[in-house]
Amino acid sequence: MAASLTKLLNIQYPILQGAMFAISTPDLVAAVSEAGGAGVLTDAWDVETLRENIRIIRSLTDKPFGVNLNMAKRHTDRVWESARVIAEEKVPFITAGAGDPRPYLPLMKEAGVKVIAIVPNVRLAKRLEAAGVDGLIVEGTESGGHIGNLTTMALMSNVIPEVSIPVIAAGGIVDGRGVAAALVMGAAGVQLGSRFLLAKECGSFHDKNVEAIIAASDEDSTAIGTTRGKGMRGLRSAFTEQYRSMELSGVPTEELNKFSANITPTIAKYGISDDGMNGMIMVGQSIVPLKRVQTAREIIEEVMAEAEEILKNANNLLG
Ligand SMILES: Cc1cc2nc3c(=O)[nH]c(=O)nc-3n(C[C@H](O)[C@H](O)[C@H](O)COP(=O)(O)O)c2cc1C
């Protein structure tokens, strides 16, 4: 059986705060790590800001934290620059997504940075295990933000038995029930994104977005771009309705890109646009339990207490 996430990262609770573009600021990352999980910063900044943010986190906590290396730009200089800063700063671990992290493994290994790769299927999971990554994240289509096709349940069912390194489950997990279920499925830990959008330390996330998430029902979740291989999940809005109808009517992808061009940078930063088009608040499908703003510590302690209670009574579940 694979080691737990707590052993892999030397943390108290098996909880990662998923990277969330510019929303996962040093304040949020440090607060999650201080509370016993592990926060994850993004590399969505220029490299000097990335270095500065890493140092700010270090000034706020001496606990382990990570940086998300986004490889969507296909091993360009920009990705290599971020990778070098992460290695120089000896960040405890990276979560590597939207590409193949193998080119960065020697640099990370040499710097003692653990590599957790985000994988969409068994094939890549096995290939990256063989290449020497330290752990895997499987992120189901229930997640907020960029999404693939498979559900978290299917990914856990498919991937976990096929590898012997730790697998972290992400997507649709917002409370102790989700954490307990993932651990019972054999996951080494979980990654939560949406639940941390309602963390007090999530300062760059607009109050209007928080209110919309609290008011949302399960039917307000939607995904756009799924027919073009770049799905993105969030709350239904005038923008998503128009995008989706253009997408389904078969307009060329370039036209869709043009339509969303003005809106995408603001989505990336704040999850909402201010140009009247209403943007898209990125949040996952498990939305009904998201009702309160709490500190990162309150979130982690509440989620873990629920999970522990459920697991303690698990013997009785069979009746
Ligand atoms: C607003 C938002 C932004 C996100 N941005 C990123 C990102 O920059 N990089 C990444 O790897 N994952 C990103 N994610 C995915 C999260 O890290 C996490 O895996 C996901 O939110 C888990 O699903 P949940 O939202 O159901 O908890 C984002 C998620 C949200 C909600």
Side-chain angles (χ1 to χ4, degrees):
M1 201 176 145
S4 71
L5 182 59
T6 51
K7 284 223 179 74
L8 178 68
L9 298 182
N10 195 21
I11 55 179
Q12 190 181 356
Y13 300 122
I15 296 184
L16 293 185
Q17 159 257 309
M20 293 188 286
F21 300 118
I23 298 165
S24 41
T25 55
D27 275 353
L28 178 66
V29 174
V32 171
S33 292
E34 266 297 288
V40 180
L41 185 73
T42 61
D43 66 348
W45 344 79
D46 61 74
V47 282
E48 278 324 305
T49 313
L50 173 62
R51 193 188 297 279
E52 203 179 300
N53 283 341
I54 291 169
R55 292 183 179 176
I56 294 173
I57 295 169
R58 281 236 160 84
S59 73
L60 297 171
T61 182
D62 56 6
K63 306 262 170 62
F65 67 94
V67 174
N68 177 234
L69 187 69
N70 182 342
M71 295 168 293
K73 295 205 174 105
R74 304 250 170 234
H75 316 313
T76 54
D77 288 352
R78 171 71 180 73
V79 185
W80 275 106
E81 280 170 18
S82 297
R84 276 192 282 273
V85 168
I86 291 165
E88 281 161 20
E89 295 295 320
K90 301 201 179 306
V91 170
F93 69 97
I94 59 168
T95 61
D100 183 344
R102 281 176 292 185
Y104 307 94
L105 280 177
L107 176 67
M108 297 301 164
K109 293 267 168 202
E110 198 179 319
V113 179
K114 295 206 167 97
V115 176
I116 303 179
I118 305 170
V119 293
N121 55 45
V122 173
R123 187 169 36 84
L124 193 57
K126 284 182 156 179
R127 213 182 271 170
L128 295 182
E129 177 180 39
V133 302
D134 300 283
L136 301 167
I137 295 175
V138 291
E139 194 187 62
T141 194
E142 300 93 320
S143 302
H146 289 288
I147 51 168
N149 296 326
L150 298 184
T151 61
T152 305
M153 181 60 89
L155 282 164
M156 288 193 293
S157 300
N158 295 334
V159 174
I160 292 172
E162 297 293 326
V163 294
S164 41
I165 53 175
V167 177
I168 296 138
I173 301 170
V174 293
D175 55 22
R177 294 171 301 156
V179 174
L183 296 178
V184 169
M185 286 294 291
V190 295
Q191 171 164 285
L192 273 53
S194 296
R195 176 83 190 244
F196 284 115
L197 287 174
L198 266 56
K200 268 199 183 116
E201 295 85 352
C202 212
S204 69
F205 199 53
H206 207 288
D207 285 351
K208 265 196 336 206
N209 298 357
V210 170
E211 284 162 24
I213 289 173
I214 289 175
S217 83
D218 44 0
E219 289 171 313
D220 293 324
S221 174
T222 191
I224 60 171
T226 49
T227 63
R228 310 300 163 104
K230 45 179 205 170
M232 205 189 251
R233 179 174 303 288
L235 291 187
R236 198 180 302 282
S237 68
F239 165 71
T240 64
E241 291 295 276
Q242 198 172 337
Y243 188 104
R244 191 76 183 144
S245 99
M246 285 167 73
E247 183 186 347
L248 295 180
S249 72
V251 305
T253 302
E254 303 79 67
E255 206 177 307
L256 276 173
N257 291 345
K258 225 187 270 170
F259 172 63
S260 63
N262 290 334
I263 234 161
T264 311
T266 6
I267 291 176
K269 248 193 166 151
Y270 306 112
I272 197 166
S273 91
D274 51 9
D275 72 349
M277 278 186 72
N278 202 11
M280 180 185 193
I281 299 173
M282 289 192 292
V283 60
Q285 280 183 324
S286 295
I287 195 167
V288 174
L290 304 181
K291 287 287 172 250
R292 282 182 300 149
V293 174
Q294 295 167 292
T295 63
R297 180 175 294 279
E298 284 165 348
I299 292 173
I300 289 176
E301 288 180 353
E302 184 179 296
V303 164
M304 284 313 301
E306 286 166 4
E308 277 165 21
E309 188 62 24
I310 292 166
L311 292 172
K312 210 167 61 195
N313 296 318
N315 276 347
N316 303 326
L317 294 175
L318 287 174

